[in-house]
Amino acid sequence: MSLSRRVPNLIGSLTFFIGAFNIFSNISRRFKGPSEKVNDYFFVYLNSAAFATILFTGFLLIILAQGLRRRKRRAWLITVVIVTLNIGVELLRFRIHFTQMGLALLLLLILISTRDEFRAKSDPSTRLRPLFILIFGFLFFFVVGILLFYFRHSKNVIGSPTLNDVMITVLAGMIWIAGPVRLASDLLQDTIRITLGAFGTFVIILPLWAYLRRVSKVPPTSQEDKLAIQQLVTKFGDEDSIGYFATRDDKSFIWTENRKAGIAFRVQSGAMIASGDPVGEFSLWPEAVKLFLAKAEEYGWTPAVLGASERGGRVWVDVAGMSAIEIGDEAIIDCQEFTLEGRPMANVRQTINKAKREGFTASVALISDLDIEEKILIQNLAKKWRGNSIERGFSMSMDRFLGDIDEGSILVRGYFNNELVGLLYFLPWGKVGFSLDRMQRAPKPLPGLTELMIEEMVNFCKVNKYKYISLNFAAFRSVIERAEKISAGPLLRTIRALIKFTSGWFQVESLNRFNAKFHPEWNARYLLYPGVGEFTRVVWAALRAEKFIDGFGLRKNWFR
């Protein structure tokens, strides 16, 4: 990791530590009143407000630490203000905590001396961010309020109130109402009342501030952009089977100056993820990569690439100095050379022949030849077959089905006794073939149907002079293959066992076995990342972009 990235990371970690220290040291420290009796309640209010503000600023420092790690200018500015406020309010308390003040002063000096490291713009915000901040802020101050009674004021509580009594007191106190729990003196009672009331005020202020400081989203590709990308894919996309997926509705696009090349991307969890290889004229790919990196630098995003080919990955490595890890292979069928004859294809041939005898048939149609009623019927069936499962994918799948803009796509329909029970949907692959986007069928046993539909698609390509079709993406195929050899070491075998364990959710092994039946060519795909320090962030962002992880839940069926 370069020094320019290491400094913000260290400052972010220090900020997080100081914020957490402020919170826990103040919660756990027993309350001590002033050394002399205070007759003026102004000082009681001042001390209580200062105490609440210290906890509030500690909470904000924990939140801002992530922005500092990503070199956000706004995070730096707010942190400077918060630390200054933290130091100021500490001087207003009955007893000054010098360790806490010393750490705050140290952080302030470091922030000022490294101000030039924080140049990145703020991230685009979502409409739900203020709601998330409201919920998170409320839970934080609610828990802190409870802890105050059990740690800071535990010896000053009258009687033995239940947890329910404490919770009611905290909730009531956050709206400036007295609760059932009473403390030993009026001074203590006023102290806790003002502290809880300040907590409630902060809970309201934070989401309002977040709402007023929203930043516009990165705009997705326009209809005009999609048409232009389609033209580039048709003209220059014979080398990349997934180039057409750059036209997804949820992707943005960076163009070179002459608009003859560009990169599709999405920002996810602080990472700017390029989808596959750059699109367009190969000689302009380095320029597109540099523009992509400049955009990531401008906003403090971590640049990454998901689904790059060997050819595209080399450009990223040469221009950006990225590291690469193989994540799997595409199964490519050469339609002009493909045959079901011969011993190696005996299993597939017998499966297809049996399916035909049992009443299965298949047909191929151009999307442009389907009328609106047919499209609606097929879309409704596909939705019904999918049930409650989530539409996955980002780099190797499309987020629309039978769209008007995708007239060059192919639909293969499978029938059983003239009833539509399955489909394959292919998108254009330059001028040389098609790439599989979705494979769906009715939720019942249909042996041989998928193999039959693939054979029908291959025959269509043979007749119409298309050379290739790309089937499912086989995740970690090379790892599985190497682990099955007798020379495999313990680490490789452990990884193999982990893949086998997760196959129940992600269907890794079953897709590998299915693809291998057709004896395809294998086209490796890579994940590229800036360095080891950013690898975890990139993997997390990639999993979320592909919807294998959504929020805190895992998504099933890892295939397209």
Side-chain angles (χ1 to χ4, degrees):
M1 186 184 294
S2 65
L3 181 62
S4 62
R5 298 191 70 87
R6 191 178 293 116
V7 169
N9 273 337
L10 292 174
I11 294 175
S13 298
L14 177 62
T15 302
F16 184 93
F17 168 76
I18 292 175
F21 178 81
N22 284 357
I23 293 170
F24 290 112
S25 64
N26 279 278
I27 291 175
S28 59
R29 185 183 289 116
R30 298 291 183 185
F31 176 80
K32 294 181 180 180
S35 56
E36 298 180 0
K37 182 176 176 61
V38 176
N39 294 318
D40 191 341
Y41 270 88
F42 171 76
F43 294 105
V44 175
Y45 280 92
L46 205 59
N47 179 76
S48 301
F51 173 74
T53 304
I54 290 292
L55 294 177
F56 175 61
T57 55
F59 171 68
L60 290 182
L61 289 177
I62 290 175
I63 295 175
L64 290 166
Q66 182 63 20
L68 292 174
R69 291 191 183 101
R70 293 169 56 199
R71 301 177 292 106
K72 297 295 185 181
R73 186 66 180 178
R74 183 184 289 181
W76 176 88
L77 179 60
I78 296 173
T79 304
V80 169
V81 173
I82 291 299
V83 173
T84 304
L85 176 63
N86 186 286
I87 295 170
V89 298
E90 184 66 37
L91 296 172
L92 302 177
R93 301 178 66 177
F94 290 148
R95 297 175 185 272
I96 297 175
H97 302 151
F98 292 102
T99 302
Q100 182 177 303
M101 180 175 287
L103 288 173
L105 282 170
L106 174 64
L107 178 58
L108 183 61
L109 291 174
I110 293 174
L111 286 170
I112 293 173
S113 63
T114 59
R115 58 187 177 276
D116 292 337
E117 297 290 339
F118 301 91
R119 301 184 301 272
K121 296 181 180 179
S122 297
D123 279 352
S125 55
T126 66
R127 293 179 180 179
L128 294 178
R129 178 174 292 181
L131 178 60
F132 292 150
I133 291 176
L134 174 64
I135 295 172
F136 185 57
F138 169 76
L139 291 176
F140 171 81
F141 286 112
F142 179 62
V143 171
V144 168
I146 293 173
L147 294 177
L148 288 179
F149 282 99
Y150 282 98
F151 290 94
R152 187 173 176 82
H153 293 291
S154 59
K155 292 185 178 181
N156 303 312
V157 174
I158 298 175
S160 301
T162 63
L163 175 61
N164 189 55
D165 291 333
V166 174
M167 292 171 63
I168 292 173
T169 301
V170 173
L171 287 174
M174 292 174 75
I175 55 175
W176 299 90
I177 297 175
V181 178
R182 307 298 297 174
L183 300 183
S185 70
D186 291 339
L187 172 64
L188 293 170
Q189 196 69 43
D190 288 334
T191 297
I192 197 69
R193 179 174 61 85
I194 297 166
T195 300
L196 294 177
F199 285 177
T201 303
F202 294 147
V203 168
I204 300 300
I205 289 175
L206 274 175
L208 287 176
W209 174 82
Y211 177 81
L212 295 174
R213 299 291 289 178
R214 287 185 301 169
V215 180
S216 300
K217 289 184 178 180
V218 176
T221 51
S222 64
Q223 192 77 355
E224 179 184 353
D225 285 333
K226 291 186 182 73
L227 294 173
I229 295 169
Q230 285 180 343
Q231 292 174 2
L232 290 179
V233 170
T234 302
K235 187 175 181 179
F236 301 104
D238 292 353
E239 298 292 328
D240 186 13
S241 63
I242 64 173
Y244 194 89
F245 297 112
T247 66
R248 275 179 65 107
D249 295 336
D250 62 353
K251 290 179 181 177
S252 302
F253 204 81
I254 289 181
W255 292 97
T256 56
E257 188 175 351
N258 61 7
R259 291 180 66 88
K260 290 187 177 180
I263 297 173
F265 72 94
R266 182 201 288 178
V267 177
Q268 183 75 59
S269 303
M272 184 178 181
I273 305 176
S275 172
D277 294 343
V279 174
E281 190 175 331
F282 181 73
S283 63
L284 295 173
W285 284 14
E287 179 188 342
V289 170
K290 290 176 182 177
L291 290 170
F292 179 91
L293 295 174
K295 187 78 169 179
E297 177 75 14
E298 180 183 0
Y299 284 92
W301 295 324
T302 301
V305 188
L306 181 59
S309 68
E310 183 77 27
R311 179 172 178 245
R314 288 189 180 277
V315 175
W316 283 100
V317 171
D318 292 342
V319 177
M322 288 187 168
S323 301
I325 182 172
E326 187 175 338
I327 57 174
D329 300 79
E330 285 181 280
I332 308 295
I333 293 180
D334 187 332
C335 298
Q336 301 305 318
E337 300 294 330
F338 181 82
T339 178
L340 288 176
E341 302 300 322
R343 189 170 183 177
M345 298 300 295
N347 183 42
V348 176
R349 182 174 64 250
Q350 292 166 6
T351 299
I352 292 174
N353 289 336
K354 182 179 180 181
K356 289 178 179 178
R357 289 195 301 270
E358 292 181 354
F360 289 97
T361 59
S363 65
V364 179
L366 287 167
I367 299 304
S368 56
D369 292 337
L370 300 178
D371 57 37
I372 296 177
E373 288 75 15
E374 284 182 293
K375 287 184 179 180
I376 293 175
L377 174 64
I378 295 168
Q379 288 170 339
N380 289 338
L381 269 177
K383 185 177 180 180
K384 178 183 177 181
W385 293 341
R386 183 170 296 282
N388 295 324
S389 60
I390 300 298
E391 289 274 7
R392 303 155 317 280
F394 166 67
S395 59
M396 304 181 196
S397 68
M398 187 59 70
D399 55 354
R400 56 182 182 269
F401 179 43
L402 304 180
D404 294 336
I405 195 175
D406 305 315
E407 291 188 347
S409 303
I410 299 291
L411 181 69
V412 184
R413 286 173 285 189
Y415 297 89
F416 179 63
N417 293 332
N418 297 320
E419 177 191 359
L420 181 59
V421 290
L423 61 88
L424 302 179
Y425 184 54
F426 290 86
L427 296 172
W429 171 358
K431 301 182 292 293
V432 298
F434 298 90
S435 184
L436 180 63
D437 175 45
R438 64 170 64 206
M439 175 193 297
Q440 287 184 264
R441 61 185 195 176
K444 57 184 177 181
L446 299 167
L449 174 64
T450 304
E451 290 87 343
L452 176 60
M453 289 191 291
I454 290 175
E455 182 206 23
E456 196 69 21
M457 181 63 186
V458 170
N459 292 336
F460 170 84
C461 290
K462 281 184 177 180
V463 171
N464 292 277
K465 309 301 181 184
Y466 292 107
K467 187 167 178 59
Y468 299 114
I469 61 171
S470 170
L471 296 180
N472 295 300
F473 176 71
F476 310 117
R477 185 196 69 86
S478 61
V479 174
I480 295 173
E481 189 177 75
R482 292 197 302 271
E484 291 175 346
K485 294 181 179 180
I486 59 174
S487 60
L491 178 60
L492 201 57
R493 293 183 184 276
T494 301
I495 296 173
R496 172 69 176 82
L498 180 62
I499 293 173
K500 186 174 182 179
F501 173 75
T502 58
S503 288
W505 291 277
F506 300 122
Q507 298 187 8
V508 176
E509 287 195 306
S510 59
L511 282 173
N512 273 310
R513 288 194 299 268
F514 180 83
N515 289 334
K517 290 195 301 185
F518 294 90
H519 296 278
E521 300 173 15
W522 295 107
N523 182 17
R525 291 285 171 176
Y526 299 90
L527 173 71
L528 290 102
Y529 55 97
V532 176
E534 305 289 352
F535 181 70
T536 303
R537 174 190 294 278
V538 169
V539 170
W540 175 261
L543 290 173
R544 292 207 64 188
E546 294 284 355
K547 294 188 176 66
F548 301 149
I549 295 175
D550 186 13
F552 299 101
L554 292 177
R555 297 304 184 188
K556 297 183 179 181
N557 303 329
W558 185 357
F559 68 95
R560 61 176 176 85

